[in-house]
Amino acid sequence: MGVFSKIPRLSIRFQSSISKSKQDSYYKMSGNVLNPIHGQDHSSYFGAEIVNRVSFLREDSDFISNSVAHDSTRFIFFDKTNPLINKGGDQKLVMLTNGDHQLGAKESVKKGIFSLESWRKTIEDWSSGNKDQDPGLRDNNMPTFLFLGLEDESVGLNLSSLKSVEDPDNGSEEKYLDYQGRYQGIPYYAVDLSQSTELQNTIINHVAESNGIDKSNLIFSHSRKHYLGFSPKEAALYSHGKMFLDWLSRNRFCPGCGSRVIPIHAGGKLRCTNEETEGMNENDEIQYVCPVRNATVSNVSFPRTDAVVITAITNTERTKVLLSLAKRYADTKLYACTAGFMEPSETVEVATKREIWEETGVVCSDINIVSTQPWPFPGNLMIGCLGVVEFNGVNEVIHLGHDRELADARWFDVGFIKTLINGTNDQTTNPEGLLLPSKESIAFSLIKMVVDQASEPSNKL
């Protein structure tokens, strides 16, 4: 029998296999099955709910045309998925509006961009092309616009406070969009300027000259030190825009026929531009030469998110935690959770068990799903899990000879990891200079969860 055959069957501990007392203890610990990371904000870095995506309105070209030109609309800008930032400001992510004085008392950019003739022309041309699904939407240095959603009351916007300062009759600009009396809020867009160098320069000059910002501080950043220095709102908007725009930029040609594809529905979908037909099918519907256009549901036309399982691994007593050192991080001595991509037709639990065994050789059959985090490098959804290993002289043995992705993996005492988390480690307590993942990552949250549970005996299942 192969080594893998020795792995016991998966045991999911959410159902009747848990005694009533243990269930009560678990729910008390976690608040809900999917989030036992207690004492932390449920909205993860990169994943806070900033806008209501109102995805059905992407197909409403009248709504899109109204929203993209509205005074209150917020825009964030990218070049090759790198965001425009002000590295010298408290608010790092540059956010502009069409109208003036739309961002509130703490705004760093007060002057709107609708006063720029080139911007108005860009809005007009893109709105028309989006409505008509023009095959030339990506031609002539045209930027790509992506509708992110509406900041509305469902995500905490106080419309009443905006109404109190709004007075269009006396020349002040509208502070939020009211569409058909049903959808009210502040629209958000991400704009990819990769093909629009002239417009890039116009916008940067506008920000610098009209708002007194040092032009040298305005850059399209590729550095994670900036991404991980955003406020939670900035991080979520950056992640949202970056993941969509990365998908749009990578997919330029139809996988079915090789023709060019264009972003339609305000960036929410790709459409093949091949109009060649070969008659009608048995249902009297047009039959296109392109097989993608003939598909009832085409998953190549919609954005992709790659699922990754990432797991904090501990023992039943919560005294140990298994961390691994990837070969690419060997020089930095960054120890983290076990992680890997899910494969087709795998459950989260089975993928987690497989990745633990393939990378570390450890046998773990007790898997709990904990929480998730978008990770925009380039377009992943991190599915955080907790794996509990029953030490029996076999299960916990580390063997790195299967996948060979790791330089090292160790069972650490929880007390040692706690010193790293608290930042109290020094040459005496941490002579090797080991590092943990950044606090913004789900890996850090999972590791901290194990440490927190170690000090709460009632939370050990």
Side-chain angles (χ1 to χ4, degrees):
M1 297 177 68
V3 177
F4 198 74
S5 65
K6 297 178 182 178
I7 299 180
R9 293 192 177 189
L10 186 68
S11 170
I12 306 303
R13 301 183 63 180
F14 294 151
Q15 305 299 326
S16 59
S17 60
I18 311 178
S19 68
K20 182 63 169 63
S21 61
K22 287 185 177 180
Q23 285 181 346
D24 291 343
S25 174
Y26 186 80
Y27 290 124
K28 181 179 179 181
M29 170 184 70
S30 65
N32 63 67
V33 171
L34 292 179
N35 201 345
I37 301 182
H38 48 117
Q40 300 179 44
D41 191 342
H42 290 186
S43 58
S44 64
Y45 197 80
F46 293 133
E49 186 181 18
I50 303 302
V51 294
N52 178 351
R53 299 198 182 200
V54 286
S55 58
F56 51 90
L57 289 178
R58 295 172 188 160
E59 301 179 36
D60 187 334
S61 58
D62 289 336
F63 167 79
I64 294 299
S65 295
N66 278 311
S67 64
V68 76
H70 195 264
D71 290 333
S72 69
T73 301
R74 275 65 162 154
F75 299 93
I76 58 175
F77 300 92
F78 293 81
D79 177 25
K80 299 180 179 66
T81 71
N82 298 321
L84 179 60
I85 69 162
N86 175 12
K87 63 180 181 179
D90 294 332
Q91 297 171 321
K92 293 286 188 278
L93 188 67
V94 172
M95 186 181 298
L96 301 181
T97 60
N98 282 323
D100 297 341
H101 301 288
Q102 290 283 340
L103 295 174
K106 296 182 179 180
E107 61 190 359
S108 59
V109 180
K110 301 177 176 61
K111 185 69 176 175
I113 52 176
F114 212 66
S115 58
L116 302 174
E117 182 179 354
S118 59
W119 178 253
R120 292 198 305 272
K121 181 67 164 55
T122 298
I123 291 287
E124 180 182 342
D125 290 347
W126 178 81
S127 294
S128 175
N130 179 73
K131 181 177 182 178
D132 298 337
Q133 298 187 7
D134 186 345
L137 261 177
R138 284 178 161 173
D139 295 346
N140 302 320
N141 302 319
M142 178 66 73
T144 296
F145 283 74
L146 169 69
F147 173 63
L148 299 175
L150 280 178
E151 183 182 4
D152 62 12
E153 290 182 322
S154 74
V155 294
L157 181 67
N158 187 341
L159 284 177
S160 298
S161 66
L162 295 181
K163 291 176 182 177
S164 66
V165 298
E166 185 178 300
D167 187 11
D169 294 335
N170 292 324
S172 63
E173 296 161 323
E174 294 181 352
K175 300 297 182 183
Y176 68 93
L177 173 69
D178 185 344
Y179 185 66
Q180 298 179 342
R182 299 182 64 187
Y183 308 109
Q184 300 172 324
I186 299 170
Y188 281 74
Y189 280 80
V191 186
D192 181 5
L193 300 174
S194 301
Q195 299 184 135
S196 313
T197 304
E198 186 175 342
L199 188 57
Q200 277 188 32
N201 294 331
T202 298
I203 288 173
I204 289 175
N205 288 334
H206 169 81
V207 174
E209 296 169 5
S210 300
N211 300 279
I213 295 175
D214 186 346
K215 187 176 178 180
S216 66
N217 284 330
L218 299 172
I219 62 171
F220 289 95
S221 176
H222 64 274
S223 173
R224 288 198 186 188
K225 77 175 183 180
H226 293 136
Y227 308 158
L228 299 179
F230 286 151
S231 69
K233 179 176 181 177
E234 290 174 327
L237 291 172
Y238 156 72
S239 176
H240 187 167
K242 196 265 187 189
M243 291 174 78
F244 265 85
L245 293 176
D246 181 84
W247 167 71
L248 290 172
S249 67
R250 289 171 184 266
N251 293 274
R252 297 270 174 178
F253 301 97
C254 176
C257 69
S259 300
R260 290 189 307 166
V261 294
I262 57 170
I264 62 172
H265 300 166
K269 183 179 178 181
L270 287 171
R271 177 180 178 271
C272 176
T273 57
N274 187 350
E275 298 291 342
E276 187 178 355
T277 62
E278 50 184 12
M280 310 291 285
N281 63 18
E282 61 274 13
N283 297 319
D284 291 328
E285 299 169 334
I286 295 176
Q287 191 74 12
Y288 290 94
V289 170
C290 175
V292 172
R293 294 204 64 173
N294 289 328
T296 304
V297 177
S298 173
N299 62 2
V300 301
S301 300
F302 295 95
R304 63 176 289 173
T305 297
D306 298 323
V308 178
V309 290
I310 180 167
T311 311
I313 306 165
T314 186
N315 60 337
T316 306
E317 293 74 25
R318 302 298 199 274
T319 58
K320 301 284 187 180
V321 57
L322 177 63
L323 299 180
S324 55
L325 176 66
K327 288 182 177 178
R328 66 182 182 276
Y329 294 131
D331 292 340
T332 65
K333 300 181 181 179
L334 176 65
Y335 280 76
C337 298
T338 300
F341 289 97
M342 290 184 62
E343 296 193 349
S345 194
E346 256 189 332
T347 66
V348 170
E349 296 84 3
V350 169
T352 301
K353 182 180 70 169
R354 173 181 58 78
E355 283 291 341
I356 293 172
W357 179 81
E358 287 183 352
E359 293 194 9
T360 71
V362 169
V363 176
C364 180
S365 59
D366 184 351
I367 308 295
N368 291 292
I369 301 172
V370 177
S371 62
T372 59
Q373 180 185 32
W375 194 248
F377 308 108
N380 301 335
L381 177 65
M382 310 300 291
I383 304 173
C385 299
L386 173 67
V388 182
V389 177
E390 182 180 355
F391 280 31
N392 60 7
V394 176
N395 291 346
E396 71 273 20
V397 175
I398 295 172
H399 173 65
L400 304 183
H402 301 309
D403 205 347
R404 301 184 184 276
E405 288 188 9
L406 302 180
D408 187 28
R410 304 185 206 174
W411 286 104
F412 291 96
D413 288 335
V414 166
F416 170 69
I417 299 301
K418 185 175 182 179
T419 65
L420 300 187
I421 288 175
N422 293 337
T424 56
N425 64 90
D426 51 29
Q427 183 63 32
T428 302
T429 57
N430 183 18
E432 294 182 77
L434 307 186
L435 300 176
L436 294 180
S438 66
K439 293 183 178 180
E440 293 81 8
S441 68
I442 192 172
F444 180 88
S445 296
L446 291 167
I447 295 168
K448 186 176 185 299
M449 176 190 69
V450 172
V451 171
D452 290 344
Q453 289 183 4
S455 60
E456 301 177 23
S458 62
N459 289 340
K460 301 170 187 174
L461 300 183

